[in-house]
Amino acid sequence: MRRYMVAGNWKMNMGPAAGRELAAAVQQKLAGRELGGDVLVCPPYATLPAVAEVAAGQPLLLGAQDCSDQVSGAYTGQISAGMLAEVGCRWVIVGHSERRQFQREGDEDFVAKITRAFDEGLKVIFCYGELLEERKLGRQADVVRDQLKGVLPRLTAADAGNLVLAYEPVWAIGTGETASPEQAQEMHAQSRQLVADIMGYPEAANMRILYGGSCKPSNAEELMGQTDVDGGLIGGASLKSDDFVGIVDGAEAALANT
Ligand code: PGA
């Protein structure tokens, strides 16, 4: 049985003061509850230490939104996986569509970043998903296959314990338009089959595959109730404690129904 994960990606929102407040509010709402999954927040770099003061450890885990593909040295503006581990991160997101789009990152970058993260003991949420034009052309299955095949076979240290996948159709990110539960399930099942082809059956059965893209309290339970949807990567709705905890409630309700 796979534990669900609900991960908040705050993107470039919430400075240290606002971030500490948000994390404390989430922590307070979850306090004392026996959760059947993992709940994680990924603030911007500058906010990590403030959030670590209130949120590192149970039940709320801390993650970052990206890391450098280098270990250390003359790389102005970059942050290493080792530094993230030092400030209390246990997780890091790699391959988000906004990094693909705005920083032009691709497979080579992702392999290097994930490798650095594993070397420092961090676990990784690897994001992938098709663009609107690609879905309109019916190419989503090919795109997802290429994105997973370009990275997963080169991660020699990856397993279902240190890697989580996040299928995020780009047309659903921040648009208010969500993939239907059927669309999500179809892509997740296909992703799991690809993981089986690349990493073998036990890893595929245990690998958590999150859905991301306009996930909110009102659709979380139905999405996460799909057989191959093991939680969510949450952008906009992770910025309000009620909404974020509402999504955790959705994950719990989906779990209770299985
Ligand atoms: P959204 O973002 O929930 O605001 O659509 C999801 C993401 O980018 O991870």
Side-chain angles (χ1 to χ4, degrees):
M1 180 85 182
R2 298 181 294 268
R3 277 173 75 77
Y4 71 76
M5 171 181 271
V6 173
N9 174 9
W10 293 0
K11 307 193 179 182
M12 200 169 72
N13 298 293
M14 301 284 160
R20 184 190 284 109
E21 218 172 282
L22 172 59
V26 172
Q27 190 78 300
Q28 196 200 343
K29 287 175 182 151
L30 295 178
R33 290 179 58 177
E34 278 288 331
L35 295 178
D38 299 322
V39 183
L40 173 75
V41 288
C42 302
Y45 291 135
T47 303
L48 286 170
V51 171
E53 285 170 21
V54 292
Q58 294 302 323
L60 204 50
L61 297 164
L62 189 63
Q65 299 170 17
D66 185 45
C67 68
S68 176
D69 60 350
Q70 302 292 327
V71 177
S72 66
Y75 300 101
T76 302
Q78 298 200 32
I79 306 277
S80 72
M83 294 170 187
L84 298 177
E86 194 176 334
V87 295
C89 291
R90 293 289 167 268
W91 289 86
V92 61
I93 298 170
V94 174
H96 192 277
S97 66
E98 287 149 20
R99 304 280 322 170
R100 294 174 188 262
Q101 184 186 351
F102 303 129
Q103 265 68 40
R104 302 245 165 269
E105 291 183 0
D107 296 350
E108 297 299 319
D109 305 291
F110 305 145
V111 170
K113 287 175 181 219
I114 295 170
T115 304
R116 294 290 94 74
F118 286 163
D119 286 349
E120 297 297 338
L122 294 177
K123 300 177 182 196
V124 172
I125 300 174
F126 176 62
C127 307
Y128 62 99
E130 80 283 0
L131 304 170
L132 180 60
E133 305 85 271
E134 293 164 337
R135 180 160 281 263
K136 279 188 179 156
L137 292 170
R139 293 198 53 239
Q140 63 273 16
D142 294 345
V143 170
V144 160
R145 187 197 55 223
D146 290 349
Q147 288 174 332
L148 293 180
K149 285 207 160 167
V151 173
L152 297 192
R154 297 158 69 191
L155 303 176
T156 47
D159 58 37
N162 62 14
L163 183 68
V164 165
L165 301 179
Y167 168 63
E168 299 204 300
V170 179
W171 46 271
I173 295 180
T175 58
E177 191 176 337
T178 317
S180 68
E182 296 73 27
Q183 284 173 323
Q185 170 56 26
E186 185 186 17
M187 298 304 286
H188 281 231
Q190 191 210 328
S191 303
R192 197 174 304 285
Q193 183 55 51
L194 282 162
V195 176
D197 296 345
I198 298 166
M199 298 172 71
Y201 179 72
E203 299 307 332
N206 291 326
M207 178 79 58
R208 290 182 286 182
I209 307 178
L210 315 183
Y211 167 79
S214 299
C215 190
K216 44 191 182 250
S218 58
N219 60 25
E221 180 181 348
E222 203 184 2
L223 283 163
M224 294 177 199
Q226 304 301 307
T227 315
D228 288 294
V229 180
D230 306 310
L233 181 55
I234 320 299
S238 70
L239 300 175
K240 290 198 180 122
S241 63
D242 282 343
D243 287 350
F244 189 58
V245 172
I247 292 171
V248 175
D249 291 338
E252 287 285 322
L255 180 64
N257 287 337
T258 52

